[in-house]
Amino acid sequence: MRDVKEDDVTGLIAYGAYLPHNRLRRSEIGATLGRGGGKGTRAVASYDEDTVSMAVEAGRLALRGLPADGRPQRVLFATAEPPYLDKSNANVIHAGLALDPSALAVDMVGSVRSGAGALVFASEASMPTLAVLSDVRTGLPGGADEQDGGDGAAAFVFGPGSEGAPVIAEILGQASATGEFLDRWRLPGARASRVWEERFGEHAYGPLADAAIADALKQAGITPDDVDVLVATGTHGRAVRSFVRGAGVDRVADGLQSSVGDTGTAHAGLVLADVLDRAEPGQTIAVVVLADGATALLLRTTEALTGRRSTRSVADQIAAGDDGLRYATFLTWRGFLDREPPRRPDPVGPAAPPSRRTASYKYGFTGTRCTECGTVHLPAVRVCVSCYAVDHMAPQPMADVPGTVATYTIDRLAYSPSPPVVAAVVDFDGGGRFSCELTDVDPDAVAIGERVEMTFRRLVTAGGVHNYFWKARPVAPGTIDVQAKGV
């Protein structure tokens, strides 16, 4: 094995993955419909989450602790379920992560294969590039896609290594094989995908997968025996299993099917993040994605990995999930069960001009700190509420600052797709007070003094416009000290 200096190569320098809080027990499906369901759970994006909000959450974990020279100068957003068409979704992610205006943000949307493309293009970049893979997977009630799918996101920063942002995994090689055939498809506006007969897809994918991994191994100058871990995912389960059986690799990564489900565009990234959470330096990882062809990416971990793992592991997020979601609630969130809304005025969508004027606050959750007395203000103001100094303000990023619930109320009358609304006043560590909604919380378990963190969510969609902003949620175990230290 050749020696690698992490600060003189281009490779993976940071990563993060996000799983939503809610889980649906598959047995719930069978109990309601009288058939189907299966064992285990699937991850479910909440009513206030979509592929963009989950992408921001994964990106925040990937960027945490990166120095200025490691901050992304490119953003690639891959998903098969974009919240917007004819408008860039990546721009919202760019704003939510408070990236520099000079950073280009572009979408790679419409298919699961876009996730593999984003990883490949980012891995070849000569500047820090963020690839974010996110998906919300569903299908018709009682179908295999609903049962086997899952929701989640993963983010990876590739670029030249530096002292503050060393390469944690070197890119050894990558290759793809493309072929046009009808396996899985969904027309614009359709609510669920359709799938061709499974044996045909298995036959079509086999040669493509074999060709992609063979070319990648040849580039790297290694054999299947040199691969320590194989990550194999794709839209065709039988084809993936068939490829794994013939790959000649002893260790195959857990596909997280029993606990999370198949997260589509995000799944290769999610499984790779789980592998990196526990990989040792010097291990070779092969990532193979079967979706409208096959793509293989080979990485070798470096000594820097042990000090640069994600601050919130995939395993910890799986363990923290709440599997109490009811199937009727899941169907309501997915739009398959049209329930009577609250008898309140319909919500109003945000207007473009004020959203633009307050973008750093609305998307980046940046307040101000008075340079005269140190008081933190949310939202940003020109006049200090404590010392009345005018225009003596400095930007104060607050998205990663934890806080404490000072008081709260449970509102059963306010409009919400998932009532009741839990509103709280949060006191942030180091100063600042903010009134916001709590999410991912049991209304009966909220308490004054509870520790919370901020999370990027979609408040409501009205007039065809998604209103993104920030909510608070109970802090995940073991992460509060890391955030407080700014890691």
Side-chain angles (χ1 to χ4, degrees), residues 33-77:
L33 301 182
R35 61 180 179 83
K39 299 179 180 180
T41 61
R42 59 155 291 166
V44 177
S46 182
Y47 71 95
D48 57 359
E49 294 183 293
D50 60 18
T51 53
V52 162
S53 69
M54 293 193 298
V56 171
E57 291 299 292
R60 292 173 66 199
L61 289 170
L63 301 189
R64 188 166 291 163
L66 275 183
D69 61 357
R71 297 281 288 178
Q73 299 176 36
R74 298 284 189 272
V75 179
L76 306 176
F77 174 53

Side-chain angles (χ1 to χ4, degrees), residues 19 22-44 137 141-151 254-264 267 270 318 322-328 330:
L19 286 173
N22 292 288
R23 304 286 186 274
L24 175 68
R25 295 192 302 270
R26 294 187 175 101
S27 59
E28 273 278 302
I29 301 173
T32 302
L33 301 182
R35 61 180 179 83
K39 299 179 180 180
T41 61
R42 59 155 291 166
V44 177
R137 307 296 290 179
D145 283 352
E146 177 190 67
Q147 171 184 311
D148 298 334
D151 308 333
D254 179 5
L256 308 178
Q257 185 61 40
S258 64
S259 57
V260 176
D262 190 331
T263 57
H267 207 58
L270 185 66
I318 291 174
D322 182 356
D323 65 356
L325 183 68
R326 308 301 296 181
Y327 185 52
F330 169 79

Side-chain angles (χ1 to χ4, degrees), residues 44 55 57 69 85 141 150 183 245 369 372 383 395 435 446 467 478:
V44 177
E57 291 299 292
D69 61 357
L85 297 175
D183 171 45
R245 287 194 297 269
R369 179 182 290 275
E372 297 295 315
V383 181
S435 177
V446 181
N467 188 12

Side-chain angles (χ1 to χ4, degrees), residues 22-323:
N22 292 288
R23 304 286 186 274
L24 175 68
R25 295 192 302 270
R26 294 187 175 101
S27 59
E28 273 278 302
I29 301 173
T32 302
L33 301 182
R35 61 180 179 83
K39 299 179 180 180
T41 61
R42 59 155 291 166
V44 177
S46 182
Y47 71 95
D48 57 359
E49 294 183 293
D50 60 18
T51 53
V52 162
S53 69
M54 293 193 298
V56 171
E57 291 299 292
R60 292 173 66 199
L61 289 170
L63 301 189
R64 188 166 291 163
L66 275 183
D69 61 357
R71 297 281 288 178
Q73 299 176 36
R74 298 284 189 272
V75 179
L76 306 176
F77 174 53
T79 184
E81 189 68 23
Y84 280 120
L85 297 175
D86 207 20
K87 179 197 180 306
S88 174
N89 300 276
N91 281 19
V92 181
I93 299 168
H94 177 284
L97 298 176
L99 297 179
D100 190 272
S102 64
L104 173 67
V106 294
D107 289 352
M108 301 178 64
V109 301
S111 70
V112 171
R113 189 169 175 80
S114 65
L119 287 176
V120 168
F121 293 150
S123 70
E124 296 176 337
S126 59
M127 61 184 68
T129 299
L130 172 66
V132 193
L133 289 56
S134 183
D135 220 342
V136 172
R137 307 296 290 179
T138 191
L140 295 175
D145 283 352
E146 177 190 67
Q147 171 184 311
D148 298 334
D151 308 333
F156 300 87
V157 181
F158 293 89
S162 65
E163 183 177 354
V167 167
I168 62 174
E170 179 194 11
I171 307 301
L172 301 182
Q174 63 84 16
S176 293
T178 301
E180 166 55 24
F181 57 94
L182 192 64
D183 171 45
R184 170 182 290 270
W185 72 98
R186 174 164 54 92
L187 295 179
R191 305 178 75 181
S193 298
R194 299 180 63 184
V195 182
W196 202 262
E197 202 275 330
E198 288 186 341
R199 289 173 296 180
F200 169 74
E202 182 179 2
H203 172 77
Y205 275 116
L208 298 173
D210 293 341
I213 189 63
D215 287 350
L217 291 170
K218 183 177 180 181
Q219 286 182 30
I222 62 176
T223 69
D225 291 337
D226 298 315
V227 175
D228 295 292
V229 185
L230 171 63
V231 174
T233 68
T235 58
H236 195 292
R238 284 180 55 158
V240 171
R241 291 190 292 272
S242 178
F243 166 73
V244 167
R245 287 194 297 269
V249 178
D250 292 334
R251 182 184 170 195
V252 179
D254 179 5
L256 308 178
Q257 185 61 40
S258 64
S259 57
V260 176
D262 190 331
T263 57
T265 312
H267 207 58
L270 185 66
V271 178
L272 174 58
D274 185 47
V275 170
L276 291 171
D277 285 340
R278 43 182 145 242
E280 298 297 328
Q283 288 191 319
T284 299
I285 304 169
V287 181
V288 180
V289 182
L290 276 60
D292 295 316
T295 296
L297 181 67
L298 300 179
L299 307 94
R300 180 176 293 148
T301 57
T302 72
E303 294 291 338
L305 173 62
T306 55
R308 295 291 307 172
R309 299 189 199 273
S310 175
T311 57
R312 189 169 301 177
S313 71
V314 173
D316 286 344
Q317 294 183 66
I318 291 174
D322 182 356
D323 65 356

Side-chain angles (χ1 to χ4, degrees), residues 320-393:
D322 182 356
D323 65 356
L325 183 68
R326 308 301 296 181
Y327 185 52
T329 303
F330 169 79
L331 291 178
T332 302
W333 290 355
R334 288 294 193 265
F336 287 110
L337 182 58
D338 192 12
R339 301 168 70 170
E340 182 175 357
R343 295 182 179 179
R344 295 289 178 271
D346 291 338
V348 178
S355 294
R356 183 176 184 273
R357 287 195 301 269
T358 61
S360 63
Y361 164 66
K362 175 176 173 57
Y363 297 103
F365 204 57
T366 300
T368 51
R369 179 182 290 275
C370 178
T371 57
E372 297 295 315
C373 69
T375 299
V376 176
H377 304 83
L378 282 166
V381 297
R382 293 181 58 196
V383 181
C384 178
V385 298
S386 296
C387 71
Y388 308 113
V390 180
D391 291 335
H392 286 264
M393 298 292 171

